[in-house]
DNA sequence: CAGTGAGCGAGCTTCCGCTTGACTT
């Protein structure tokens, strides 16, 4: 009989593969694929009256994994439980012991937080007993989340709409977005003027130089700005003062999940989910370390190789090795930072996204071990002979680039800071002449809407969510319809300008597009109504500090100084009575808002969430008549829609014109705005076309566009058999079923006979029946 | 694919954190 000797269980199969190489043939390394058990869904999965005793089951997708694990450990001399060194990891080991029937005699708990040969061998030499306190902290976390999620969600089904959800993390994420929107709605933009001057001077060598500077004061009105220019007209300008301040800048720490998501969005335009899926592929290919981490820590091995690369590529003075402290709230540091597995791999094979993300990780990691940049900030003060006012020019010179040679972190501001012009060499006392001085109106702007990535950043700051859940939570709040990612075209606004040149003052207004948004998170009506309901009735859970508070208690449980079921009991009693009370006394919420009365009939006009979404309604059900309804447009909110805008909606459906002798009608259907022409439907372009504004010409354009698309979609037809181009490549469609075309076949060369064969053979491969 | 805005009302929806595939039209 064969003895497998030692079996090591880790969480991830890619990790298992790597570790097996380090351990040699006495060790077999297998993976649990994360948690293997979870609370049952039936009856909340918790015996509430019995100390909140959890009822765990092996989830369907883990039955096979568990069966394999059982086989693996059956004849093992020793089982090494090597799940992550954090709360969840400890719990995974405990579940493994329970399910696989392991005991402290035949199993050992080991931990390591970097995957290097030394770290793993050291771990094997230092096994420790399972930490039941840590497991209990995890059970408390799990039970609390289930209680909150499974007691709050059903209230929403009853009071607002079926299939909604609420939870400790997602509901706070939605709240952030709703409250930001309200800040934006109530924000009043103000404007002021600031003058920018272009000056010329004659340098010591007789050559002419130019310097650009901003006025030291702002002006609240156009008149004030003009008065200032009048003063400038008669002023003599000279350089009053020059200060040079040295400074340094340090590199950003290596990537965690959250910072990777932010930078990949800002630099590569990837969504949070895209970033994770590209990173997953790099990880599975062995190119980078684990991508779900809150740690900025690098292994000594990684630091050493980074230093080697830096000194050989740039020289010793560019190298400065550092260890970064993780400062994010609730960090558990079970892994390393996200870094290349081998720093000397400058690039990796793969698609463009994989190459670019890898490059970003490589640069960030390398930069983190490089010298500070040394900069010099110069401020030049320009005085005026006839005024205390003046101009200031600022510029920065990089004296030593250091880490900036490879990497510069982006910011969330949309590059609104103009590039500073370089400061020419000048001396105090030099006289200047103005070439042009221009006072420009500047507006204050509201706080920006969240992007997926900046929301993750905020969540991390509040300590809600974990690296493994940032992306899924952001999907959930969009799938529930609470928020939606979208663009706004922005609005034109006038910018007043007054210019002084050649002794003359004249105004020269221009316009700019303000409030343009791309890929931002907008709250939807249902999200707003759910949020307001939860904030009103469950302010404790919705509090931004709720998670931080319970995390403190989880820490006490982990230290062994607090009993977990007692802690949950203290939370649950008041929470549950609030649940009961809310179910009893709270009214149904539709977000109804009265806009006014109809100008002709005097009937009330209001907006609310109806059975099929947000709707405007004229009149109420009575003996004399029925109310009229019209759906709100995608970018309209119950909170901000006006009476006039609501009345406009009743103009739909409407005829916009004729094409080929038939009417074109615009309306809003189940799938959004459409044009109907000869009983065929054509969708309007999201965020581009407004069904209330669309013209006959544009409608024809859309119809032709769609026809052209359909022509490209069809490769061939044989009666009922269609060869089509789809999202996932060419396929055959026959009687509402789809069939794959064998790889390597040119779809345009298929004959009717070929197609029939594929259809016969492919029975079952096509999507039959509906779900 | 594309109207709707009553009724009857079974049975279902849902949480957060660990992990990957399967498979799409």
């Amino acid at each position: 009989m064969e003895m497998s000797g030692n079996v090591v269980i880790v969480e991830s199969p890619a990790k298992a593969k790597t570790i097996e190489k380090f351990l040699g043939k006495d060790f077999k390394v297998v993976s649990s694929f994360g948690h293997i058990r979870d609370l049952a869904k039936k009856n909340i999965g918790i015996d509430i009256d019995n100390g909140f005793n959890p009822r765990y089951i092996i989830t369907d997708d883990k039955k096979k994994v568990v069966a394999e694990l059982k086989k693996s450990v059956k004849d093992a001399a020793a089982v090494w439980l090597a799940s992550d060194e954090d709360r969840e990891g400890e719990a995974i080991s405990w579940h493994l012991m329970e399910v696989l029937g392991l005991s402290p005699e035949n199993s050992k708990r080991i931990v390591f937080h970097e995957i290097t040969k030394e770290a793993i061998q050291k771990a094997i030499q230092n096994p420790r007993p399972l930490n039941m306190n840590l497991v209990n902290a995890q059970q408390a976390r799990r039970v609390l989340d289930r209680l909150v999620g499974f007691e709050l969600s059903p209230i929403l089904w009853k009071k607002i709409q079926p299939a909604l959800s609420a939870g400790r993390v997602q509901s706070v994420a939605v709240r952030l977005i709703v409250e930001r929107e309200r800040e934006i709605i109530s924000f009043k933009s103000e404007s002021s003027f600031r003058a920018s001057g272009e000056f010329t001077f004659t340098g010591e060598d007789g050559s002419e130089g130019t310097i650009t500077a901003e006025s030291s004061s702002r002006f609240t009105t156009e008149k004030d700005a003009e008065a200032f220019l009048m003063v400038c007209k008669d002023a003599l300008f000279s350089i009053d003062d020059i200060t040079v301040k040295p400074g340094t800048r340090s590199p950003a720490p290596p990537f965690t999940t959250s910072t990777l998501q932010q930078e990949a969005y800002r630099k590569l335009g990837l969504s949070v989910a895209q970033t994770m899926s590209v990173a997953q592929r790099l990880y599975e290919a062995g190119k980078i370390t684990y991508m779900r981490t809150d740690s900025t820590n690098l292994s000594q091995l990684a630091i050493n190789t980074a230093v080697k690369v830096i000194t050989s590529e740039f020289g010793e003075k560019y190298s400065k090795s550092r260890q970064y402290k993780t400062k994010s709230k609730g960090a558990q540091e079970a892994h390393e930072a996200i870094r290349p597995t081998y720093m000397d791999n400058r690039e990796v094979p793969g698609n463009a996204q994989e190459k670019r993300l890898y490059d970003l990780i490589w640069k960030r990691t390398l930069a983190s071990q490089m010298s500070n940049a040394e900069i010099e900030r110069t401020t030049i003060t320009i005085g005026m002979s006839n005024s205390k006012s003046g101009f200031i020019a600022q510029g920065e010179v990089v004296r030593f680039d250091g880490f900036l040679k490879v990497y510069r972190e982006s910011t969330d501001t949309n590059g609104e800071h103009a590039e500073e012009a370089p400061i020419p060499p000048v001396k105090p006392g030099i006289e200047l002449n103005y070439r042009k001085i221009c006072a420009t109106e500047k507006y204050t702007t509201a706080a920006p809407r969240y992007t997926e990535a900046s929301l993750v950043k905020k969540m991390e700051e509040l300590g809600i969510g974990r690296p493994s859940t940032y992306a899924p939570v952001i999907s959930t709040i969009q799938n529930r319809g609470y928020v939606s990612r979208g663009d706004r075209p922005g609005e034109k606004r006038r910018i007043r300008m007054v210019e002084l040149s050649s002794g003359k003052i004249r105004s020269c207004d221009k316009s700019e597009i303000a409030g343009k948004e791309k890929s931002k998170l907008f709250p939807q009506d249902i999200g707003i109504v759910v949020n307001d309901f939860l904030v009103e009735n469950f302010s404790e859970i919705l509090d931004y500090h709720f998670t931080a508070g319970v995390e403190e208690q989880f820490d006490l449980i982990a230290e062994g100084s607090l009993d977990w079921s007692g802690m949950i009991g203290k939370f649950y009693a008041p929470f549950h009575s609030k649940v009961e009370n809310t179910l009893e006394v709270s009214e149904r919420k539709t977000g109804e808002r009265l806009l006014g009365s109809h100008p002709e009939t005097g009937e009330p006009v209001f907006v609310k969430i109806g059975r099929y979404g947000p709707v405007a309604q004229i009149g109420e059900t009575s003996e004399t008549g029925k109310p009229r309804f019209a759906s709100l447009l995608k970018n309209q909110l119950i909170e901000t829609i006006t009476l006039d805008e609501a009345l406009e909606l009743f103009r739909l459906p409407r005829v916009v014109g004729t094409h080929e002798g038939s009417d074109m009608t615009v309306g809003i259907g189940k799938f959004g705005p459409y044009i109907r022409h000869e009983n065929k439907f054509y969708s309007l372009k999201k965020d581009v076309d407004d069904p209330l504004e669309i013209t006959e010409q544009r409608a024809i354009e859309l119809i032709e566009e769609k026809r052209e698309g359909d022509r490209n979609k069809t490769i061939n037809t044989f009666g009922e058999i269609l060869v089509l181009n789809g999202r996932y490549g060419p396929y055959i469609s026959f009687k509402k079923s789809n069939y794959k075309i064998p790889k390597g076949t040119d779809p345009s060369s298929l004959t009717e006979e070929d197609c029939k064969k594929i259809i016969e053979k492919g029975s079952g491969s096509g999507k039959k029946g509906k779900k």
Side-chain angles (χ1 to χ4, degrees), chain A residues 226-237 384 386-387 505:
Chain A
E226 216 177 301
F228 176 67
L229 293 187
M230 289 291 283
V231 176
C232 287
K233 191 165 81 93
D234 302 321
L236 296 174
F237 299 93
M384 293 163 64
N386 57 352
S387 164
I505 293 173

Side-chain angles (χ1 to χ4, degrees), chain A residues 384-399:
Chain A
M384 293 163 64
S385 58
N386 57 352
S387 164
K388 275 187 191 150
S389 243
F391 288 79
I392 291 169
Q394 284 188 321
E396 220 173 69
V397 179
V398 176
R399 287 286 166 216

Side-chain angles (χ1 to χ4, degrees), chain A residues 519-659:
Chain A
S519 217
K520 294 290 177 63
L521 295 171
F522 291 84
Q524 304 296 293
D525 288 309
I526 190 70
I528 293 175
V529 171
V530 166
N531 176 66
D532 291 354
F533 179 82
L534 291 173
V535 169
E536 188 187 327
N537 295 292
F538 298 94
S539 55
E540 185 200 359
I541 311 278
L542 272 280
D543 189 292
Y544 290 125
H545 303 107
F546 175 70
T547 290
V550 291
E551 280 291 342
E552 273 176 28
Q553 302 190 51
F554 296 153
D555 286 345
L556 293 178
I557 295 168
E559 285 166 20
S561 45
L562 185 65
D563 168 61
W564 83 262
S565 67
M567 179 242 146
I568 294 294
K570 274 208 181 98
F571 160 78
Y572 186 73
F575 170 70
H576 184 67
S577 73
K578 239 180 190 178
V579 167
E580 301 268 88
N581 184 256
T582 306
L583 279 169
E584 202 175 309
V585 306
S586 171
E587 305 234 306
R588 254 193 93 80
K589 291 278 189 263
T590 63
E592 183 172 309
R593 186 164 85 88
L594 184 68
L595 300 181
S597 49
H598 194 278
E600 280 146 36
T601 65
E603 292 166 292
V605 179
F606 43 93
V607 280
K608 63 178 189 182
I609 294 181
R611 287 208 299 168
Y612 309 109
V615 70
Q617 180 175 343
I618 301 177
E620 281 172 288
T621 319
S622 69
E623 285 124 38
T624 52
K626 270 189 172 177
R628 289 188 286 150
F629 297 93
S631 290
L632 265 59
L633 298 178
K634 190 89 178 63
N635 58 3
Q636 291 175 324
L637 281 182
I638 285 177
E639 192 150 330
T640 50
I641 193 171
T642 62
L643 176 62
D644 287 345
E645 286 165 346
L647 292 172
E648 277 282 286
L649 296 170
F650 291 88
R651 285 172 47 207
L652 294 173
R654 71 189 176 99
V655 175
V656 281
T658 55
H659 183 45

Side-chain angles (χ1 to χ4, degrees), chain A residues 75-364:
Chain A
D75 298 315
V79 177
W80 304 77
L81 298 165
S83 51
D84 298 342
E85 187 183 24
D86 59 15
R87 209 160 60 197
E88 297 297 327
E90 202 70 11
I92 288 174
S93 279
W94 176 69
H95 283 299
L96 284 167
M97 288 186 73
E98 296 271 300
V99 172
L100 303 177
L102 302 174
S103 67
E105 285 72 44
N106 60 14
S107 71
K108 295 169 186 176
R109 171 79 171 120
I110 54 168
V111 293
F112 41 85
H113 30 244
E114 52 185 63
I115 305 179
T116 56
K117 196 170 181 175
E118 295 72 38
I120 288 154
Q121 284 172 344
K122 201 171 148 200
I124 294 276
Q125 281 150 26
N126 296 287
R128 62 161 173 82
L130 195 79
N131 181 346
M132 209 50 211
N133 290 330
L134 202 50
V135 173
N136 287 338
Q138 193 275 346
Q139 298 201 89
R141 199 280 305 157
R142 182 68 193 90
V143 166
L144 178 108
D145 282 337
R146 170 57 66 85
L147 290 170
V148 169
F150 274 39
E151 294 215 356
L152 288 187
S153 300
I155 306 179
L156 301 180
W157 306 342
K158 286 200 184 73
K159 302 295 182 185
I160 298 173
Q161 203 174 86
L164 296 174
S165 65
R168 173 178 59 83
V169 173
Q170 61 168 289
S171 296
V172 176
V174 172
R175 181 180 188 184
L176 284 166
I177 293 164
V178 171
E179 291 193 343
R180 176 59 56 86
E181 193 70 18
R182 291 201 165 124
E183 270 177 55
I184 293 168
I185 290 168
S186 61
F187 182 80
K188 297 248 187 311
S189 181
E190 286 170 2
S191 77
S192 63
F193 290 78
R194 180 157 242 178
S196 166
E198 261 178 52
F199 300 92
T200 59
F201 63 90
T202 311
E204 282 178 316
D205 57 351
S207 68
E208 186 156 283
T210 315
I211 188 164
T212 307
E214 297 270 302
S215 65
S216 49
S217 28
R218 279 166 193 273
F219 313 100
T220 41
T221 67
E222 190 175 1
K223 247 195 183 135
D224 293 344
E226 216 177 301
F228 176 67
L229 293 187
M230 289 291 283
V231 176
C232 287
K233 191 165 81 93
D234 302 321
L236 296 174
F237 299 93
S238 64
I239 292 186
D240 272 2
D241 186 41
I242 302 174
T243 60
V244 179
K245 268 192 196 150
T248 60
R249 216 169 283 160
S250 337
F255 278 133
T256 61
T257 302
S258 149
T259 53
L260 177 70
Q261 288 170 347
Q262 290 161 45
E263 276 288 89
Y265 171 77
R266 294 187 289 223
K267 285 203 157 88
L268 311 180
L270 298 181
S271 73
V272 160
Q274 279 174 322
T275 298
M276 292 315 280
S277 123
V278 176
Q280 175 89 28
R281 291 201 296 274
L282 289 170
Y283 167 66
E284 283 172 10
K287 301 302 177 193
I288 61 169
T289 55
Y290 195 56
M291 64 283 154
R292 290 186 273 264
T293 176
D294 52 23
S295 171
T296 53
N297 194 59
L298 293 178
S299 72
Q300 199 53 52
L301 190 72
I303 293 177
N304 294 346
T305 53
V307 167
K308 226 159 60 192
V309 172
I310 294 162
T311 39
S312 80
E313 293 243 343
F314 310 115
E316 210 160 294
K317 68 174 178 170
Y318 277 91
S319 159
K320 180 178 179 180
S321 70
R322 329 159 181 250
Q323 271 299 359
Y324 293 86
K325 270 238 173 75
T326 303
K327 52 178 189 289
S328 92
K329 215 181 262 177
Q332 310 208 2
E333 307 226 43
H335 305 273
E336 267 190 82
I338 304 170
R339 61 160 173 94
T341 21
Y342 306 104
M343 279 313 291
D344 23 7
N345 276 353
R346 181 63 192 85
E347 46 187 51
V348 293
N351 65 28
Q353 282 187 338
E354 287 161 25
K355 283 176 187 296
R356 296 182 74 195
L357 191 71
Y358 181 82
D359 184 62
L360 193 65
I361 294 168
W362 188 86
K363 284 178 172 161
R364 173 95 165 204

Side-chain angles (χ1 to χ4, degrees), chain A residues 335-468:
Chain A
H335 305 273
E336 267 190 82
I338 304 170
R339 61 160 173 94
T341 21
Y342 306 104
M343 279 313 291
D344 23 7
N345 276 353
R346 181 63 192 85
E347 46 187 51
V348 293
N351 65 28
Q353 282 187 338
E354 287 161 25
K355 283 176 187 296
R356 296 182 74 195
L357 191 71
Y358 181 82
D359 184 62
L360 193 65
I361 294 168
W362 188 86
K363 284 178 172 161
R364 173 95 165 204
T365 309
L366 200 75
S368 79
Q369 300 305 316
M370 289 178 74
S371 315
N372 288 342
E374 282 161 31
I375 52 169
E376 212 173 74
R377 193 155 182 84
T378 305
T379 306
I380 294 182
T381 317
I382 296 170
M384 293 163 64
S385 58
N386 57 352
S387 164
K388 275 187 191 150
S389 243
F391 288 79
I392 291 169
Q394 284 188 321
E396 220 173 69
V397 179
V398 176
R399 287 286 166 216
F400 173 64
D401 54 359
F403 75 93
L404 292 175
K405 211 173 190 70
V406 295
Y407 184 87
R408 192 185 290 256
E409 189 174 38
S410 301
T411 56
D412 278 326
T413 50
N414 309 327
E416 273 174 28
H417 304 290
E419 281 286 307
E420 283 175 343
I423 296 279
V426 286
K427 287 204 164 148
I430 287 184
E431 288 188 1
L432 304 165
N433 293 310
Y434 76 84
R435 186 183 286 156
K436 187 169 92 172
I437 298 175
C438 189
T440 308
E441 186 171 27
K442 297 237 160 69
Y443 291 88
T444 56
T445 50
R449 289 192 176 83
Y450 286 104
T451 64
E452 288 187 351
S454 68
L455 182 65
V456 167
K457 183 182 181 184
K458 185 71 193 177
M459 286 168 64
E460 188 185 35
E461 280 167 22
L462 294 171
I464 63 167
R466 302 277 312 133
S468 66

